[in-house]
Amino acid sequence: MIPHRDRALIGAVLDVLVPADAEPSATNAGVLEWLDARASTVHADLWRDVLTSGFDALAAEPGPVDERLLRELEHASTREGWPVSPERFVAALVRLAAHAWYGRRDSPAWRSMGYAPGPKRTPGAPVRHATLQRTPLAQVAASYDVVIVGAGAGGGVAARVLAGAGAGVLIVERGRFLSYAEVGRDHLAHHRFPAYGHNTGPDDPAEPRVHVPPGGPERMVGHAYEPEWHNNAMTVGGGTRVYQGMAWRFHPDDFRMASRYGVPDGSSLADWPLTYDDLEPFYARAEWELGVCGDGHAHRVQGRRSVDYPMPPLPDNLEASVLRAGAQALGLATGPVPLLINSRPRDGRAACVRCGECIGFACPTDAKNGTHNTALPRAMATGACTLATGIRAERVLVDGAGRATGVAVVDLATGARREIAAGAVVVCAGAIETARLLLASATDAHPDGLGNRSGHVGRHLQGHLYVGAFGLFDEPVQDMYGPGVSIATTDFMHDLGEEGIGGGVLANECVKVPAIFWHWALAPDTPRWGRAGKQAVREAFLRTGHVFGPIQEIPSPACRVSLAHHVRDAQGNAAARLSGELHPESARAGRALQARARQWMQASGATRVWCDPEPIPRRLTGGQHQAGTARMGNDPATSVTDPYGRVHGHRGLWVMDGSLHVTNGSVNPVLTIFALAYRCAEELARASVA
Ligand SMILES: Cc1cc2nc3c(=O)[nH]c(=O)nc-3n(C[C@H](O)[C@H](O)[C@H](O)COP(=O)(O)OP(=O)(O)OC[C@H]3O[C@@H](n4cnc5c(N)ncnc54)[C@H](O)[C@@H]3O)c2cc1C
């Protein structure tokens, strides 16, 4: 319940922020009750620090509480009689009112702005959601041929290959298996907009992490949904449970960045120990086994392909046709975005119904292909693969010669601990937790952690800086056909000339849910509340276009996962400490790609164009595209693993996730993670037989 006596005043303020027009006002739409439900939990600190004293001060203001007064307060950092900043008070209230107004399911705002989630076509086959059998820790055997840590992108593929080759495999996954209903459709608490939590693991409150922003000081981060925690998704499937499924192959030059561009000061830019051609057969295998839709001939700038995609692309949405015309005017080649989505029924599962609630959510027809519904069920169907969830690996065990002998795990629900023996250990815990686990597995003989003789474990942490441009058009450019991401150009992957090293792909965006649109996509000086604010959203929602994309990051050794021994999780393990900042060359390339995005919007007919982010932030990346912390290489002095993911100096210890990436590409990373995992796991299967 709201901890303030004057509900009439609060209601009056909310009705100024969200007044009645053709739609109901905030109080008539239940916003007060929504605030009541959160006042003692997620908003408790805000009421204590800002809102309660702000409402007291507001009650003492002479004259009516109306739009004029709120606009005055909105621009006042201090004011006589106000113990809190009026500006901060109004900003906080505006944000809460917007969350309640735009973010609640089936808000009246959705209809009037034109947001229409739900199936736009039939699934073409019965809808069947994959499910997987889990084995409690007590029933897990004493030893396995292979123990895989993490059932995400890399771990799922590794399990598929190794169990398929006849190895007895145990996967320990710290997250839970989440059904479609459990992932849910909360627009304010999902992986794209985690304002009130997220919809996969880790459960809240999460174990702490320590974040050191540029210039410090360090801060403990206790909620995994805070951006500084750099979460991906901790559940069966890892990030693939809720991802968008953009399935790009890296460009051949992405594997030889140092040779092509030289090594910028302060960076650890390096070539991969393998080429695009080495990985090509595994890209093809990932596309066919997991299921990608696309057009293999569409993009001008791409590596050689041995085979087309197994499914045709999803049809264009409206925005794609508008942007295609603009690209043609600029001489840019475009094509559909390859997606790990069934464009037609496949593999016993239905097709995408184009619902428009895609990225950050699970798929209502299970047409989005992650490891939870492809590689993992196939691994388990062999009968040779056991999945234990809610189990966290705390240490990799090694013998006196440094050979991996198993893992020490803890059951997160009961606190029970066990050691499980293994012929080989494959670490696939995501770039932050893989580094943390290798570091935490230090022994007297390996005091700095496993594979860390040369000090590279945890360094070179990178993700993707995203840049782009919005455009406001005279006519609607959005038709609500999901997933929304539909057209891209690869022309700028390595074509920024003197303006930057590397580059990136530019694509339009997935359908924006209304709360995200309000936060992110309104032009800078647009009114955000009041009658004018409501009208602005209604008028802009369908008329706003957006292109953006990831920039190839220039890695730096200072971007780093280390252990914070002074901060511990509930089981007593040292927390991950994340430090470093974006390399200036990444920012420079980001500005150059942003300029290309702006031109594309203008050429497509936008009457107003603005860039995002503005200015480019220096902060550490990582998060959903985290990579690089156990980079592969030929030389143990400059890398953590060999070109197959074998950790230098430790027989039987392998890494097969995004940590291996020497550079993280000019596109989204997951198809490369899948391809590498196929290649490395095949090598392990071969090595075990030999
Ligand atoms: C909303 C969203 C959208 C995305 N969209 C795209 C996209 O369109 N295209 C793209 O290429 N990429 C996308 N990604 C990123 C992609 O999902 C990741 O790059 C990929 O999942 C990383 O694979 P991984 O194997 O390195 O780690 P993960 O998939 O993160 O798997 C690691 C697993 O290890 C588990 N784990 C961690 N520590 C331990 C431990 N100690 N013991 C046991 N288990 C542990 C975790 O719980 C997790 O399940 C998206 C991600 C998100 C969240």
Side-chain angles (χ1 to χ4, degrees):
M1 197 72 174
I2 290 170
H4 198 281
R5 292 181 312 279
D6 201 343
R7 287 179 76 82
L9 173 68
I10 297 170
V13 174
L14 290 172
D15 283 348
V16 174
L17 299 178
V18 183
D21 46 15
E23 302 155 351
S25 71
T27 50
N28 286 333
V31 171
L32 258 179
E33 291 72 19
W34 185 88
L35 286 176
D36 276 337
R38 283 155 191 79
S40 62
T41 54
V42 283
H43 296 158
D45 292 354
L46 205 54
W47 279 102
R48 189 197 58 222
D49 299 341
V50 180
L51 296 180
T52 302
S53 44
F55 276 116
D56 286 344
L58 192 63
E61 285 283 337
V65 174
D66 55 12
E67 182 164 342
R68 188 201 53 78
L69 175 62
L70 289 187
R71 295 239 176 256
E72 202 177 308
L73 296 174
E74 189 181 25
H75 300 294
S77 56
T78 58
R79 187 174 171 104
E80 202 182 328
W82 279 72
V84 290
S85 154
E87 188 179 39
R88 194 167 160 220
F89 169 75
V90 175
L93 263 185
V94 165
R95 193 160 39 82
L96 297 195
H99 287 169
W101 179 245
Y102 295 110
R104 281 184 314 151
R105 269 213 94 68
D106 302 321
S107 153
W110 288 12
R111 211 172 326 113
S112 55
M113 65 199 284
Y115 177 64
K120 313 282 186 302
R121 62 179 200 173
T122 63
V127 173
R128 174 178 79 76
H129 286 272
T131 182
L132 294 169
Q133 193 188 341
R134 280 86 75 194
T135 302
L137 184 59
Q139 289 170 27
V140 162
S143 87
Y144 290 83
D145 296 329
V146 182
V147 172
I148 297 175
V149 178
V157 166
R160 158 80 184 114
V161 172
L162 292 162
V169 175
L170 170 69
I171 315 173
V172 290
E173 165 55 51
R174 58 167 289 167
R176 291 182 285 131
F177 179 90
L178 296 172
S179 67
Y180 171 68
E182 284 170 307
V183 176
R185 290 184 300 155
D186 187 339
H187 281 203
L188 298 171
H190 66 111
H191 269 269
R192 202 71 198 297
F193 193 64
Y196 294 86
H198 55 231
N199 48 352
T200 67
D203 292 340
D204 198 52
E207 74 220 34
R209 280 181 178 171
V210 172
H211 177 251
V212 191
E218 70 175 39
R219 180 173 85 84
M220 203 185 84
V221 189
H223 299 291
Y225 57 83
E226 294 179 72
E228 293 79 16
W229 207 87
H230 285 274
N231 192 26
N232 186 19
M234 292 187 166
T235 178
V236 173
T240 77
R241 184 71 183 102
V242 289
Y243 65 6
Q244 176 59 98
M246 281 188 243
W248 294 106
R249 295 178 174 202
F250 282 9
H251 184 277
D253 282 357
D254 291 355
F255 296 91
R256 48 179 191 235
M257 286 290 289
S259 296
R260 174 153 178 186
Y261 296 102
V263 181
D265 286 350
S267 88
S268 46
L269 194 64
D271 290 350
W272 287 55
L274 50 80
T275 65
Y276 174 87
D277 285 339
D278 293 329
L279 212 50
E280 200 285 332
F282 302 98
Y283 273 135
R285 187 162 169 200
E287 287 162 355
W288 277 79
E289 289 203 5
L290 279 102
V292 176
C293 69
D295 175 355
H297 305 288
H299 290 284
R300 179 159 62 195
V301 178
Q302 61 173 342
R304 172 190 68 83
R305 302 183 61 90
S306 55
V307 61
D308 205 342
Y309 295 107
M311 290 177 280
L314 286 162
D316 275 357
N317 62 6
L318 176 62
E319 191 181 25
S321 56
V322 175
L323 291 171
R324 184 170 298 106
Q328 277 164 359
L330 293 172
L332 297 178
T334 56
V337 176
L339 291 165
L340 286 138
I341 292 179
N342 287 349
S343 59
R344 58 182 181 214
R346 185 169 191 267
D347 188 28
R349 284 179 292 107
C352 166
V353 290
R354 311 200 65 190
C355 70
E357 284 176 317
C358 193
I359 185 169
F361 299 106
C363 173
T365 58
D366 213 20
K368 199 157 59 164
N369 300 317
T371 52
H372 64 287
N373 57 5
T374 59
L376 285 165
R378 282 177 212 143
M380 302 207 45
T382 63
C385 182
T386 304
L387 172 66
T389 56
I391 308 296
R392 196 156 83 71
E394 293 183 290
R395 272 172 308 123
V396 176
L397 306 171
V398 292
D399 63 17
R403 189 196 160 92
T405 56
V407 287
V409 301
V410 60
D411 184 325
L412 294 174
T414 65
R417 287 195 153 97
R418 277 190 62 184
E419 292 189 355
I420 301 160
V425 175
V426 180
V427 184
C428 303
I432 293 173
E433 292 298 321
T434 286
R436 181 182 176 211
L437 184 59
L438 294 177
L439 295 171
S441 303
T443 64
D444 288 346
H446 308 280
D448 299 321
L450 303 184
N452 201 24
R453 280 240 155 86
S454 57
H456 284 278
V457 171
R459 294 193 184 272
H460 325 295
L461 174 63
Q462 56 200 295
H464 278 121
L465 165 69
Y466 265 81
V467 297
F470 289 98
L472 192 62
F473 291 78
D474 288 338
E475 299 295 327
V477 292
Q478 303 295 348
D479 58 7
M480 293 299 107
Y481 273 75
V485 55
S486 185
I487 184 172
T489 179
T490 59
D491 283 11
F492 305 123
M493 280 170 111
H494 286 276
D495 191 20
L496 298 178
E498 292 301 304
E499 292 173 65
I501 290 174
V505 72
L506 284 175
N508 69 337
E509 238 275 272
C510 51
V511 172
K512 285 188 186 62
V513 301
I516 292 184
F517 182 83
W518 182 86
H519 262 272
W520 190 19
L522 286 170
D525 52 3
T526 305
R528 306 179 74 84
W529 57 269
R531 202 174 288 261
K534 284 175 91 175
Q535 196 172 333
V537 171
R538 280 196 297 259
E539 287 180 356
F541 184 63
L542 296 179
R543 292 194 298 118
T544 303
H546 188 195
V547 288
F548 84 145
I551 197 85
Q552 167 113 247
E553 281 199 13
I554 305 304
S556 150
C559 293
R560 188 174 181 196
V561 181
S562 53
L563 294 182
H565 291 284
H566 56 296
V567 178
R568 304 249 153 196
D569 65 19
Q571 291 79 38
N573 300 296
R577 180 178 188 272
L578 310 175
S579 54
E581 62 183 281
L582 192 76
H583 192 279
E585 280 296 341
S586 306
R588 195 165 76 91
R591 278 189 291 276
L593 189 65
Q594 203 167 45
R596 310 299 194 272
R598 173 189 280 278
Q599 285 162 359
W600 191 4
M601 270 297 155
Q602 281 163 340
S604 303
T607 50
R608 180 159 182 212
V609 178
W610 62 102
C611 288
D612 176 81
E614 193 90 300
I616 300 227
R618 285 169 58 207
R619 61 174 171 260
L620 181 73
T621 61
Q624 295 175 355
H625 287 191
Q626 58 187 266
T629 54
R631 53 165 42 179
M632 50 167 50
N634 288 312
D635 183 355
T638 56
S639 59
V640 177
T641 81
D642 78 358
Y644 289 98
R646 255 188 217 99
V647 176
H648 296 304
H650 296 280
R651 287 185 62 206
L653 179 56
W654 302 66
V655 172
M656 298 187 193
D657 63 7
S659 315
L660 295 174
H661 289 195
V662 180
T663 46
N664 209 19
S666 43
V667 289
N668 313 50
V670 85
L671 199 76
T672 303
I673 296 173
F674 290 145
L676 270 183
Y678 275 114
R679 183 174 188 268
C680 298
E682 279 200 350
E683 175 68 12
L684 170 53
R686 248 190 323 269
S688 312
V689 172

